[in-house]
Amino acid sequence: MDDQDQDLVDIDPNDPSDGSLPVYRWKQAGRANLATRRQLREMGLRPGGAEPVARIECRGGKRWAWLYRIDLAKPKLPMTLAKEAALDAAMAARQTCPGPCGRRYFHCLPLRTLGSCLECYDGTPADPTSYIAPPAPDHRLAA
């Protein structure tokens, strides 16, 4: 081996060499052992407290995502009854009209901008297949 070969060093062009995390461009990570949080979730995994090991950037650095090692990931936690009840309550708040109709729609309502469903806001009739009618009041309790 001559002196020229001894001076050659294999370097990673994505490593900033200042101790910070490597940054990869969009579709350039090419690592079988790295994944974003979304990719981990699709695999039924979660980071599980592991720190990110790299970052992937797109749109000229305007958007980015952390990359985690797959071998350190843990299985997703199953949904508990309490979590499911809390999720249903949150969705009910976003889908139920606070106006006089009180219907629960199958989609989220524009409550921040309109404050109610379109029918209560300006009279636009709602498709009857897009909501569940509220339960009728029980008149036996009023007597």
Side-chain angles (χ1 to χ4, degrees), residues 16 62 121:
K62 293 179 184 176
Y121 180 73

Side-chain angles (χ1 to χ4, degrees), residues 64-81:
W64 50 269
W66 297 116
L67 292 171
Y68 298 90
R69 285 181 42 189
I70 295 173
D71 59 336
L72 297 178
K74 296 181 179 176
K76 273 197 312 190
L77 297 173
M79 179 74 75
T80 63
L81 288 175

Side-chain angles (χ1 to χ4, degrees), residues 49-113:
E51 295 292 321
V53 295
R55 195 167 97 168
I56 189 164
E57 290 184 347
C58 65
R59 296 189 184 177
K62 293 179 184 176
R63 294 187 55 101
W64 50 269
W66 297 116
L67 292 171
Y68 298 90
R69 285 181 42 189
I70 295 173
D71 59 336
L72 297 178
K74 296 181 179 176
K76 273 197 312 190
L77 297 173
M79 179 74 75
T80 63
L81 288 175
K83 284 182 183 179
E84 194 169 346
L87 180 62
D88 186 52
M91 288 306 295
R94 296 174 69 192
Q95 295 172 336
T96 303
C97 178
C101 72
R103 300 173 181 150
R104 180 168 179 181
Y105 287 81
F106 296 121
H107 59 276
C108 294
L109 297 174
L111 298 178
R112 286 188 184 163
T113 55

